[in-house]
Amino acid sequence: MSRFTLPRDIYFGEGSLAELKNLKGKKAILVVGGGSMKRFGFLDQAVNYLKEAGMEVELFEGVEPDPSVETVMRGAEAMRKFQPDWIVSMGGGSPIDAAKAMWIFYEYPEFTFQEAVIPFNLPELRQKARFVAIPSTSGTATEVTAFSVITDYKLRIKYPLADFNITPDIAIVDPKLAETMPQQLTAHTGMDALTHAIEAYVAGLHSDFSDPLALHAIDMIYDNLTKSYAGDNQARAQMHIAQCLAGMAFSNALLGIVHSLAHKTGAIFHIPHGCANAIYLPYVIEFNSKVCADRFAKIARMLNLKGETDLELTKALVASIKKMNLQLDIPLTLKEYGVTESDFTENLNYIAENAVADACTGSNPRPTSVEEMKMILASIYYGTKV
Ligand code: FE
């Protein structure tokens, strides 16, 4: 038996933010981040649409990047006081992820964070509120996924919460919001989305439901990411859709060790999530090609890349990703990124062990040992063949 879960409604296209005025309810809490949504006028627009829907609106502002357990608990407390029947989250991945976690402790105050980090262990949500997610960046796709990443700063650990209960009820994918992304963020989030799609296409739980979404996302990202990076707003609108399709795929098919490595190197080498994925993806494809070159070849054929055999086509795919990284000003190795050799060697064991233990390793198509993880990391550092 398998399961495939998505939001009930996805509104997309320019102007879809206005759908907020059609929500039926009494009270909405709007959860946002540091201020870009306010600066660009989207916060006011959202508040006005919710008021047009006849709702009383309260704001929860200032969710930090990589939101903390404390922020989540403060938000849950605010929700318990206000008693909203809609939670509306808007912004990059962080405010949406934080709001998903707040939702849990709003509905179940006695539930603990330690219980919530156990995968697929959440109590039945939607007893008090339903959830709307409105992304302003084109990468994490948290608006359609069953995941939320919350950081425990005391333990210096990022916890992925995973449960279909926190898949939003409604996603509003309005490209206007994504036009505000700075150039480098466009590159990094775009490569995060490409990694989601490629990892989902070969991941352990990939299915006939997730495959078409993953493939179409890859196709759209190849057509649009570099143009979006160059400032083409039509391409940027396409990227906003493509990342959402990739999210629908990976929320159900899960991911692989590109993400395991990105999770565990992020905090140590101070490397943004999407940038880490972009650097690691070609090397991990080489490693995984031992077991699923046929699927990489399918991707390459769809992209009209040249090659006769599955391995040649996989090679062409790897080369095309490296080329895209160069076009997006993303380095090809960790050394080029600026990690010193001593810093790398000192942390190699620690990262490899933690990456093997990461939640994404189990769904990688090729089982990966600590020794293999170290070998892949060495290739990523020096730019050598896996
Ligand atoms: Fe990601």
Side-chain angles (χ1 to χ4, degrees):
M1 203 278 292
S2 303
R3 177 176 177 178
F4 188 80
T5 300
L6 294 177
R8 183 179 186 282
D9 293 301
I10 298 170
Y11 297 101
F12 58 95
E14 201 171 316
S16 50
L17 184 62
E19 270 308 315
L20 287 176
K21 66 185 175 200
N22 297 322
L23 290 185
K24 306 265 179 287
K26 293 191 180 73
K27 287 179 169 188
I29 191 163
L30 186 50
V31 181
V32 290
S36 70
M37 289 298 95
K38 195 183 221 167
R39 261 196 323 281
F40 291 109
F42 295 115
L43 183 61
D44 282 347
Q45 279 181 38
V47 169
N48 290 335
Y49 288 138
L50 289 167
K51 285 185 175 162
E52 242 181 274
M55 281 198 257
E56 193 186 328
V57 184
E58 192 169 288
L59 296 181
F60 187 90
E61 294 179 88
V63 173
E64 70 278 26
D66 300 322
S68 66
V69 180
E70 288 74 23
T71 300
V72 168
M73 295 309 173
R74 263 197 308 119
E77 176 70 44
M79 288 174 187
R80 285 198 291 273
K81 275 197 191 121
F82 182 58
Q83 294 288 318
D85 45 12
W86 281 101
I87 297 167
V88 181
S89 56
M90 180 164 72
S94 298
I96 299 175
D97 277 5
K100 283 174 165 178
M102 291 169 190
W103 188 17
I104 303 167
F105 305 106
Y106 164 42
E107 299 207 356
Y108 295 91
E110 68 293 341
F111 204 67
T112 66
F113 189 73
Q114 285 67 32
E115 290 173 297
V117 300
I118 302 167
F120 300 93
N121 184 49
L122 293 183
E124 207 53 35
L125 293 181
R126 297 166 176 79
Q127 309 300 313
K128 292 182 176 172
R130 281 185 291 160
F131 195 99
V132 183
I134 312 167
S136 67
T137 58
S138 307
T140 70
T142 181
E143 72 276 10
V144 290
T145 73
F147 309 114
S148 153
V149 181
I150 303 299
T151 304
D152 185 329
Y153 285 91
K154 281 187 206 113
L155 298 175
R156 293 174 63 211
I157 294 179
K158 275 190 177 188
Y159 285 107
L161 311 185
D163 194 297
F164 287 121
N165 268 292
I166 56 170
T167 301
D169 295 282
I170 298 176
I172 298 180
V173 188
D174 189 329
K176 268 285 161 204
L177 279 72
E179 282 180 15
T180 63
M181 276 191 300
Q183 202 185 24
Q184 195 183 48
L185 189 65
T186 305
H188 291 173
T189 51
M191 287 307 287
D192 186 26
L194 180 64
T195 307
H196 293 157
I198 294 181
E199 290 214 285
Y201 189 65
V202 298
L205 292 180
H206 82 78
S207 72
D208 289 323
F209 291 84
S210 62
D211 283 352
L213 292 162
L215 283 178
H216 193 53
I218 295 166
D219 202 21
M220 286 180 80
I221 294 167
Y222 265 75
D223 280 346
N224 292 290
L225 180 53
T226 52
K227 287 186 214 156
S228 169
Y229 180 68
D232 174 342
N233 273 335
Q234 220 169 338
R236 200 168 274 210
Q238 292 291 95
M239 277 304 300
H240 211 40
I241 303 294
Q243 64 86 32
C244 185
L245 300 180
M248 291 156 76
F250 91 79
S251 185
N252 293 283
L254 305 182
L255 295 165
I257 60 171
V258 180
H259 269 77
S260 309
L261 288 165
H263 291 154
K264 303 314 178 200
T265 49
I268 292 174
F269 298 141
H270 305 288
I271 170 165
H273 176 70
C275 181
N277 282 333
I279 299 173
Y280 308 163
L281 179 61
Y283 302 94
V284 171
I285 291 177
E286 276 181 9
F287 175 75
N288 284 338
S289 67
K290 276 256 164 24
V291 299
C292 57
D294 58 328
R295 291 186 74 79
F296 292 131
K298 257 195 178 164
I299 296 173
R301 266 186 226 108
M302 174 189 72
L303 298 169
N304 288 320
L305 301 177
K306 299 276 169 285
E308 295 295 324
T309 64
D310 285 355
L311 280 176
E312 280 171 23
L313 284 157
T314 303
K315 252 192 190 165
L317 178 65
V318 166
S320 74
I321 294 166
K322 288 187 177 171
K323 186 176 151 205
M324 185 137 52
N325 280 343
L326 288 174
Q327 289 170 325
L328 299 171
D329 294 310
I330 292 172
L332 297 182
T333 67
L334 268 180
K335 194 173 184 177
E336 239 183 85
Y337 180 79
V339 176
T340 64
E341 206 156 349
S342 60
D343 210 10
F344 176 74
T345 334
E346 235 166 72
N347 288 294
L348 182 60
N349 273 322
Y350 182 77
I351 293 169
E353 278 166 19
N354 279 296
V356 167
D358 188 271
C360 292
T361 304
S363 47
N364 193 66
R366 182 172 169 188
T368 318
S369 67
V370 175
E371 280 315 304
E372 285 165 328
M373 209 60 103
K374 279 162 73 174
M375 177 196 82
I376 298 166
L377 275 161
S379 292
I380 290 170
Y381 187 81
Y382 296 105
T384 49
K385 248 190 89 56
V386 177

